[in-house]
Amino acid sequence: MVYHRDVREQAIKPFKRCAGHRQEVCGLRWSNDDGANSAVLASGGNDNKVCIWDLRGQQKGRLPSSAGGSNRSGGGTSAGAGAGDDNGEVPLWKFHEHTAAVKALAWDPHVAGVLATGGGTQDKHIRFWNVGSGTMLNQLDTGSQVRAFAVYRFSLRAY
C-alpha cells in the first residue's frame, strides 16, 4: 500500500490509500512536471511491478503527455482505472515487464510523461515508459542490477 498524508494536518488517518502491489513497495517518485502531470506518482515493488498513480483520479488514456512512441514490447495494463470514481486509489497503469524488484525510478526532466525504471539482479534492464499511453518506449540491458539512478538530470531523447 501507498499511504498519502498531509504532514501539515493533525489527522492520523491517511487521506488516500493506493493498493497496487502484492509485495513491499521499494521505490517511489513523484513526477517533476509542474503542469498536467504534477499529480502523477510512480511506484516500484518487490513484486517486479511498476504502478502509475494519477492522484487526480483521471481515467486510463486521459493523462496528458507530450511523449510519443509505439508499443514495442507489451506495454502497461490498467487495473480497474476508469471504473467509477477511483480518485487514484487503483493504478492508472501497471507495468509487468520487469523480472526483479523495481527500486530505481526517474522522470525525464525534458519530456513530460516519460519514466525510466530499473530492475534488480535477475532483470538488469532499464525500461522507458510513456505514461500517457501506457507503452514501453525502449529498454536497455545493463548487465547488472539497477538500484538507483545516480544522474539526476538525464535525457531520454535517444529512445
Side-chain angles (χ1 to χ4, degrees):
M1 295 284 271
V2 177
Y3 294 98
H4 299 275
R5 291 185 170 91
D6 186 342
V7 296
R8 300 168 295 184
E9 298 286 327
Q10 294 285 333
I12 296 171
K13 296 173 76 175
F15 68 87
K16 189 172 296 288
R17 292 179 179 98
C18 300
H21 293 282
R22 291 182 181 243
Q23 294 182 17
E24 295 86 357
V25 174
C26 55
L28 290 169
R29 184 72 61 193
W30 282 103
S31 171
N32 55 356
D33 180 24
D34 290 331
N37 293 325
S38 62
V40 178
L41 176 69
S43 64
N46 281 343
D47 57 359
N48 311 341
K49 308 293 185 258
V50 176
C51 293
I52 305 299
W53 309 92
D54 179 4
L55 298 181
R56 297 165 299 179
Q58 295 215 220
Q59 295 180 2
K60 179 174 93 170
R62 299 205 46 188
L63 183 65
S65 174
S66 60
S70 62
N71 185 358
R72 295 183 184 169
S73 168
T77 60
S78 176
D85 184 18
D86 59 35
N87 292 323
E89 295 164 354
V90 296
L92 178 70
W93 298 109
K94 195 172 201 179
F95 303 125
H96 303 270
E97 283 75 7
H98 283 288
T99 58
V102 181
K103 296 179 182 178
L105 303 158
W107 293 94
D108 187 327
H110 306 291
V111 182
V114 173
L115 175 71
T117 60
T121 306
Q122 299 301 314
D123 185 71
K124 303 176 186 176
H125 281 79
I126 297 173
R127 291 182 169 83
F128 302 95
W129 308 94
N130 176 332
V131 300
S133 64
T135 57
M136 184 168 47
L137 300 170
N138 204 349
Q139 60 183 329
L140 301 170
D141 185 345
T142 64
S144 64
Q145 68 177 324
V146 182
R147 294 180 53 188
F149 291 112
V151 179
Y152 177 70
R153 296 285 182 192
F154 64 96
S155 178
L156 305 178
R157 297 177 194 266
Y159 55 77

